[in-house]
Amino acid sequence: MQDNIEIRNPATGVVEALLPSTTTIELDAMMRLLKHGQRDWVKVPLQDRLDCILRFGQLISANKQELAEILTKETGKPIIQSYNEIGGAQNRIDHLQQNAVKWLSEEVIISEGATLENIRYEPLGVIANISAWNFPYNVGFNVFLYALVAGNAVLYKPSEFAALTGQQFAKYLYQAGIPDNVFQCVVGGGQIGQHMLSLSLDGYFFTGSYKTGLHIATTVAHKLVPVQLELGGKDPLYVAEDVTDVRRAAISAAEGAFYNNGQSCCAVERIYVSEKIYDQFVEAFVEEVASYTVGDPMDADTFIGPLTRAAQLNILADQVIDALEKGAKLRLGGHSLEGNGYYYAPTVFENCNHSMALMLDETFGPLIGIQKVSSDDEATNLMQDTKYGLTAAVFSSDRDRAMRILEKMDTGTVYWNCCDRVSPNVPWSGRRNSGLGSTLSIQGIRAFVQPKAYHLRP
């Protein structure tokens, strides 16, 4: 008997849809289909493959309202933020339009002499894209669009918490001209994901937790195929006393911490503030967070909706208890909200330190801790006290001062006077427990190809 996946609305707890889970027999058939289709797809001219992706972007834009509503109903993302994600993800398509031909075309290295030397970039083959629910457009586009343009076939598994959105991707890719034997969407949870690891795939591209990423990497290591992992973070932000506007810094930091309910791998998860402006910053920060509208994610005024996963409520509750027991001062929230849905009140702690879980362990929710520091050196040491390495931010009016700190950060991305930002023009990558490899930029385009060297003697 085929299992079903429940798509439950996080705002109400009501089941929105039942989707048949892909069976292992169906998955094996998908793999055979893709192996055959990829051999033909790679023969399609690069510009024609790119044109399919451009048409896909047009279809997504034309159906944005329906797609935003689907995303909000299955993940709880506030509807305005769903619109923002769908619109913002278009910059990946723009990036491909501007750069794919340039970075995937054959390169002539030596054009004169006895031996000519060229490089051609060949697709990996059939790759697995095991994706995430928190930003399914952004993290999905980072992988499957770039892989398709490069000539790969894609076995795509959206998170079971964003499976309806994943099916929409397949629908519009097909309408845009991508053959069904080049892109297949898998529906299911961890069990079907585990079976994907046993298939003869030519690369694994995963977005999600460190624990699952480590499991994937160790399970497929013997295959010696590319493995790319975009994992979590415990991203720090330091606010120096020389910021031009303390209130504006607090507003920016709060948005970085609470956008998408804090369910972002690059969300601000811990804040360090100079003792000279600490009280002023905390008051402005608390005032800003208290102003956030919590409610129905389908309401355009809502900034904080429900958590996507009910299980995350327990993680937040445990971090709150731990912080209170160790002396942190609760300034706002600290509890689940009554009623239907997986709502947690926006929560702010001050007087935090690194004995507390909320300053060390990934939170992935609307909870933040703030710690006072006496110097740049203290802030730097605390920012470095982590097993993660995704992003780090410094707010200061002095660029040189900020750069001295940011240069010491062992992270894939650093920010000066901004945070929680991704651009297709530069690599998106993590270090240590935050992942392996890069998406976006030239690195992200070439992540889906392998070079072949040509030595040619006329």
Side-chain angles (χ1 to χ4, degrees):
M1 182 176 178
Q2 192 168 25
D3 294 331
N4 289 322
I5 294 294
E6 284 188 349
I7 306 298
R8 194 175 292 273
N9 189 326
T12 63
V14 173
V15 175
E16 294 281 346
L18 285 174
L19 299 181
S21 178
T22 303
T23 66
T24 56
I25 294 174
E26 290 171 335
L27 188 57
D28 292 342
M30 287 179 177
M31 186 65 194
R32 291 192 296 270
L33 185 70
L34 293 171
K35 283 285 189 184
H36 177 78
Q38 194 273 330
R39 289 193 290 269
D40 293 327
W41 181 242
V42 70
K43 299 174 185 176
V44 174
L46 172 55
Q47 186 59 56
D48 291 350
R49 299 196 301 259
L50 179 58
D51 286 343
C52 290
I53 301 306
L54 301 182
R55 287 193 293 272
F56 170 76
Q58 293 166 358
L59 288 166
I60 293 294
S61 295
N63 293 277
K64 183 188 292 188
Q65 180 174 344
E66 177 190 11
L67 293 171
E69 290 174 358
I70 290 171
L71 181 58
T72 291
K73 287 180 180 178
E74 68 178 343
T75 68
K77 186 189 294 283
I79 189 68
I80 296 300
Q81 296 178 27
S82 290
Y83 280 119
N84 290 344
E85 181 184 350
I86 295 170
Q90 178 66 37
N91 67 14
R92 275 68 167 171
I93 297 174
D94 295 340
H95 181 251
L96 284 169
Q97 183 179 21
Q98 296 161 10
N99 296 284
V101 172
K102 175 182 178 181
W103 295 118
L104 294 175
S105 296
E106 180 176 1
E107 289 185 90
V108 176
I109 306 303
I110 302 296
S111 60
E112 297 177 351
T115 304
L116 311 181
E117 297 174 359
N118 298 349
I119 303 173
R120 290 185 182 177
Y121 295 95
E122 299 181 344
L124 300 175
V126 181
I127 65 106
N129 178 195
I130 304 172
S131 201
W133 51 261
N134 60 330
F135 285 96
Y137 284 82
N138 290 337
V139 300
F141 285 16
N142 289 0
V143 176
F144 67 75
L145 293 187
Y146 285 68
L148 289 168
V149 170
N152 299 277
V154 178
L155 186 62
Y156 174 69
K157 183 192 173 299
S159 165
E160 59 269 38
F161 297 98
L164 291 175
T165 293
Q167 291 188 329
Q168 294 299 306
F169 292 158
K171 170 185 173 181
Y172 289 116
L173 283 169
Y174 297 156
Q175 289 186 21
I178 301 293
D180 65 358
N181 62 359
V182 172
F183 184 91
Q184 285 286 305
C185 181
V186 179
V187 174
Q191 184 175 0
I192 199 67
Q194 180 65 31
H195 189 66
M196 290 176 69
L197 304 185
S198 69
L199 300 177
S200 57
L201 287 151
D202 301 302
Y204 292 85
F205 296 78
F206 170 73
T207 303
S209 70
Y210 165 76
K211 179 180 179 181
T212 303
L214 180 62
H215 172 71
I216 291 172
T218 54
T219 301
V220 304
H222 69 281
K223 300 183 182 184
L224 299 181
V225 297
V227 176
Q228 187 157 294
L229 308 173
E230 182 180 334
L231 309 179
K234 191 65 182 176
D235 300 0
L237 186 153
Y238 170 45
V239 185
E241 77 284 349
D242 67 347
V243 289
T244 304
D245 185 332
V246 174
R247 182 174 180 276
R248 174 52 54 189
I251 291 171
S252 297
E255 182 177 10
F258 288 93
Y259 192 84
N260 196 36
N261 232 11
Q263 298 172 129
S264 171
C265 55
C266 59
V268 174
E269 288 223 353
R270 49 198 174 108
I271 300 175
Y272 306 98
V273 183
S274 169
E275 60 186 3
K276 297 177 182 178
I277 59 167
Y278 181 82
D279 292 339
Q280 183 183 356
F281 177 90
V282 169
E283 295 308 317
F285 189 93
V286 170
E287 180 183 359
E288 175 65 13
V289 176
S291 73
Y292 291 157
T293 299
V294 181
D296 182 354
M298 294 299 293
D299 189 329
D301 293 329
T302 295
F303 186 77
I304 299 289
L307 292 164
T308 302
R309 298 165 59 251
Q312 199 66 20
L313 293 169
N314 295 328
I315 292 174
L316 299 180
D318 288 344
Q319 289 194 0
V320 166
I321 292 170
D322 177 76
L324 289 171
E325 289 178 347
K326 293 174 179 175
K329 181 178 180 181
L330 179 64
R331 293 297 309 271
L332 200 66
H335 56 86
S336 298
L337 298 179
E338 295 182 359
N340 297 327
Y342 317 139
Y343 286 90
Y344 201 89
T347 300
V348 180
F349 278 99
E350 65 168 316
N351 297 341
C352 296
N353 60 61
H354 277 220
S355 71
M356 303 170 186
L358 87 167
M359 301 300 285
L360 296 175
D361 299 335
E362 190 172 24
T363 300
F364 226 67
L367 165 64
I368 193 72
I370 306 175
Q371 181 169 347
K372 183 187 298 184
V373 295
S374 60
S375 66
D376 290 355
D377 286 344
E378 182 182 8
T380 300
N381 290 334
L382 290 168
M383 294 169 79
Q384 292 173 320
D385 181 23
T386 180
K387 56 192 174 183
Y388 295 100
L390 194 60
T391 82
V394 172
F395 284 10
S396 169
S397 62
D398 185 337
R399 174 173 177 163
D400 290 339
R401 177 184 185 184
M403 290 297 290
R404 284 193 295 272
I405 298 170
L406 295 175
E407 287 167 358
K408 296 176 182 177
M409 296 296 109
D410 187 16
T411 60
T413 296
V414 293
Y415 304 108
W416 175 46
N417 290 337
C418 59
C419 55
D420 191 25
R421 180 180 188 274
V422 181
S423 166
N425 302 310
V426 291
W428 185 248
S429 62
R431 301 181 183 180
R432 289 169 290 126
N433 288 16
S434 290
L436 295 170
S438 300
T439 54
L440 305 175
S441 77
I442 177 179
Q443 283 91 344
I445 292 174
R446 288 189 174 166
F448 300 96
V449 293
Q450 47 197 342
K452 179 181 284 184
Y454 283 77
H455 303 253
L456 308 172
R457 288 187 176 174

